[in-house]
Amino acid sequence: MFLCNSPLLVCFSLGFLLLGVAVSQISLGSNLSVVENDFWVSSNGDFACGFFNNLNQPNQYQIGIRFNSKSIPDGEQTVVWVAGANVRVSNKSYFEFTQGGELVLFDFLQGVTVWTSKTSHLSVASAALSDNGNLVLMNSSKDVVWQSFDTPSDTLLPGQILSASQTLRPLSKSSVSSYYDLQLNVQGRLQLRWETNISYWTVGGQSSSNLSAVLTSDGALQLLDRRSTSVWSVFGEDHDDPLVKFRFLRLDADGNLRLYSWAEALRSWKSVWQAVENQCNVFATCYLSGVCLFNASGSHVCKCPFTSTAESSSECLVPSQLGCDSGSTLVTYDHTFLYGIYPPNDSVSTISLEQCKTLCLKDPSCTAVSFTNDGIAQCHTRKTRFITGYSDPSVGSISFVKMCLDPVAAFPNLSIFSPPQSQLKRSYAFSGQCLIGALSGTLVTFVTIQLGIGFCFYQRRSFYRKKAALALRNPNSEVLLMLSYKEIMDLTGNFGHHLGPNVFKGMLPNNQPVAVKGLKTSIEERKFRASVSRIGGIHQKNLAKLEGYCCESDHRFLVYEFVENGSVDQCIQDPKLSRRLTWRKRIDICLSVARAISYLHTECREFVSHGNLKCENVLLDENLDAKVTEFGLGRLHSNTLDDTAENDVEGFGKMMVILVTGQTEADDVCKWAYKEWISGHAEGIVDERIEGGVDSEEVERLLRLAFWCLQVDKRLRPSMGEVVKVFEGTLTVDRPPPPFLCRMPLEEEEEEED
Ligand SMILES: *[C@@H]1O[C@H](CO)[C@@H](O)[C@H](O)[C@H]1NC(C)=O
Ligand SMILES: *[C@@H]1O[C@H](CO)[C@@H](O)[C@H](O)[C@H]1NC(C)=O
Ligand SMILES: *[C@@H]1O[C@H](CO)[C@@H](O)[C@H](O)[C@H]1NC(C)=O
Ligand SMILES: *[C@@H]1O[C@H](CO)[C@@H](O)[C@H](O)[C@H]1NC(C)=O
Ligand SMILES: *[C@@H]1O[C@H](CO)[C@@H](O)[C@H](O)[C@H]1NC(C)=O
Ligand SMILES: *[C@@H]1O[C@H](CO)[C@@H](O)[C@H](O)[C@H]1NC(C)=O
Ligand SMILES: *[C@@H]1O[C@H](CO)[C@@H](O)[C@H](O)[C@H]1NC(C)=O
Ligand SMILES: *[C@@H]1O[C@H](CO)[C@@H](O)[C@H](O)[C@H]1NC(C)=O
């Protein structure tokens, strides 16, 4: 048995090696050359080592290891290791396993050795390309003293270990290496980074250090501690599929880390997991080519909304405010988040949208601001012209870019989704003026070096990929999960757990419980997506959070945070829970709902009605605090007349009556309650089960407010803001006129306004 006193990591890979069948021996003095186009092949034929030209440039060759299996056609024989990563040599160059036991790459044109394995002192006696794609050098006692697995390029093969401080870096087709890398740092964090100091994806590192990362042969990426126990893992969607013969993990040129499997049926490599679910969230994914968004077919594209792309096809700089004789203005980019890439000189302050805009206009160094509000208003100030970002209807932030004021033309709000051409040209004309002279030589270099790097295709999302995405989700991020119908079925266990009519309990891959609401299949996709994007950006503590949605062929689902105790009407009918609904609790529920609806009506960027406010849509969490759900969907239902603030107020009135009386037949109970109240029997309508008694003054106030909300003449109904004030005690409430008995507003005339 093989004994090992070196670090466990090495033992692990040696274990793999020793398990392999016979390896093809490479003897001292063997030689590969560009001219001969010869190879060293592993004994199973799966891998080959030799020269290749993947650079689309004549007379530039690299030497490395690629797949060689007969079942993989020529064009798909992916390179998995390159000697010296970005080292290139000319024709007539050669790669020699010298008599001294060293691998040497000799460039014919320069006449020098450009890369060596630096093993001349290790008594190397033989070499082999092993069956798992590892090129190894051994001494006479068959111990491995050097292996290609220890100097990874952009790829990890199954069994290959990435140990602390090692990195993967995308192979560059240009002469400058990629800005992206994957590093396992000494704290045990596996990170995707840009420019080595900005990390945009991180796993591990909670408690353990000295970890290693490995791709297992059954298709999982794992972080192992020193005892080879997995402390973190992620699985490809075909994990454990015995039909998959080949796999690899690669950091692609677009900065995303992907797990690939050989799909025999498709005769191609298939991505079965990717680290950053949404390519637009890879830092600087568009670099200087503008703002990242998804086009109609779901591919991410980079669009330049700042300058005309006709003049400068790849640079997309925000205009400089320098030299704006006639002052500056802000151009609005809705549903867009912008950030600076060079130099990143951002600052964040907690101020309102208006203050944020003023701040930028007044600060001569401010070039752009992004404003986000998910409960806390945040103004992100940018002071660089090298700005990129992402844009999507589901992105809740709004951005402003400073432009020179055009004394003639006004700047209407630009839409990134369909930029009006004439406006783009005009804004470029001005930014062009501002730009000249601002670019120094070094900046020009910086701008152009990345251009050669192409983007890899974007794969369809998968449920498994979401595991990592979810585990990592920044609580401040406003990204909605886009789920397929199959994923909806998976997470609800085939709709096995009903919560209510067309509502099912489910579990996201990160074990977060959710409520999945099925909607009418006839809802137009465009309308559905518009609504989702509107409500996805709304965050308030008494509104149930929308986590995701499914919009696939005729399936329409909304995925909300799960709220423990069900709806208000269920709680009232439940003997155990209803006892916990004290008078104080019922008042609190009313106030929370009023605040949430008032927030919808007045504090969102555009007016949002609830559209269907009723007890069934007010959920109670473990503390019986209210969470309003299914808000903002009014426009999805054909009756747009329901989509008004007054209808929400009426629904709220009914809910108050139900909470006071404990009866759930809203229309009958309103009628009865009004009759009793007007004849002076208010105390007789209060729910007898309320423990600890009620405050009769509060009962009176609540009923008055309820009957104001239930007025048939909608103009008499209070606004939700006024309702909140009554609860808070800053507004008194008079006796209401007769509400004409709480009937359903079926045959009413169209109202004048929202
Ligand atoms: C290896 O091949 C190159 C080019 O074919 C040749 O110049 C060189 O001498 C060879 N080396 C050995 C050790 O055969
Ligand atoms: C090798 O490169 C030189 C210089 O670029 C070129 O002139 C020559 O044609 C190339 N030879 C082959 C066989 O490609
Ligand atoms: C081979 O390498 C191993 C590990 O480095 C070493 O312990 C052993 O002594 C070497 N054997 C010879 C014959 O050099
Ligand atoms: C990141 O590193 C680059 C190059 O080393 C440097 O220019 C840049 O200022 C650094 N950025 C941050 C945020 O530290
Ligand atoms: C990590 O491993 C190295 C060598 O194996 C050791 O010297 C170091 O102390 C370890 N660090 C920690 C934090 O365990
Ligand atoms: C979306 O972008 C991809 C990649 O650039 C392109 O192939 C596709 O045609 C685009 N689709 C639409 C509808 O524009
Ligand atoms: C970045 O901000 C710091 C501190 O606010 C400032 O000193 C520095 O000059 C700024 N750099 C640039 C390039 O604006
Ligand atoms: C531009 O957008 C802002 C904020 O969304 C809005 O207040 C303003 O009216 C819009 N201007 C135009 C011309 O549409």
Side-chain angles (χ1 to χ4, degrees), residues 56 96 104 120 131 138-139 150 194 209 242 315 349 427 490 544 684:
N56 308 323
E96 195 183 333
V104 167
S120 55
D131 285 351
M138 292 167 288
N139 64 16
D150 285 344
W194 190 81
S209 50
E315 294 167 26
S349 38
S427 61
D490 286 351

Side-chain angles (χ1 to χ4, degrees), residues 17 81 165 290 307 317 322 377 389 442 449 490 505 518 535 691 713 738:
L17 171 72
W81 179 77
S165 302
T307 60
L317 309 182
L322 298 170
T442 49
I449 41 189
D490 286 351
K505 187 167 179 183
I535 62 185
E691 292 182 359
D713 183 345

Side-chain angles (χ1 to χ4, degrees), residues 611-732:
N612 193 16
L613 182 60
K614 52 184 181 181
C615 289
E616 287 86 335
N617 288 335
V618 176
L619 309 176
L620 300 179
D621 69 11
E622 63 275 17
N623 301 319
L624 300 185
D625 290 335
K627 293 259 188 192
V628 178
T629 186
E630 294 192 33
F631 50 90
L633 301 179
R635 289 183 208 176
L636 287 183
H637 307 297
S638 44
N639 188 0
T640 49
L641 293 186
D642 287 346
D643 202 29
T644 65
E646 293 85 354
N647 279 357
D648 287 351
V649 172
E650 186 192 29
F652 182 75
K654 287 183 188 170
M655 190 197 81
M656 277 196 285
V657 174
I658 289 170
L659 277 166
V660 173
T661 61
Q663 322 236 345
T664 49
E665 286 306 316
D667 292 318
D668 294 345
V669 87
C670 285
K671 243 187 250 182
W672 166 75
Y674 183 71
K675 262 196 215 147
E676 294 295 308
W677 174 74
I678 200 78
S679 23
H681 304 308
E683 70 288 351
I685 60 179
V686 175
D687 190 347
E688 290 167 354
R689 300 170 301 169
I690 297 181
E691 292 182 359
V694 302
D695 177 332
S696 51
E697 228 173 85
E698 274 180 343
V699 173
E700 175 69 19
R701 209 142 52 96
L702 217 80
L703 289 173
R704 284 185 182 188
L705 186 58
F707 298 133
W708 275 111
C709 292
L710 292 166
Q711 291 292 318
V712 163
D713 183 345
K714 293 178 177 183
R715 290 167 303 185
L716 294 180
R717 295 178 192 165
S719 74
M720 226 51 209
E722 289 168 330
V723 170
V724 171
K725 287 192 174 129
V726 171
F727 276 106
E728 290 173 342
T730 57
L731 201 64
T732 57

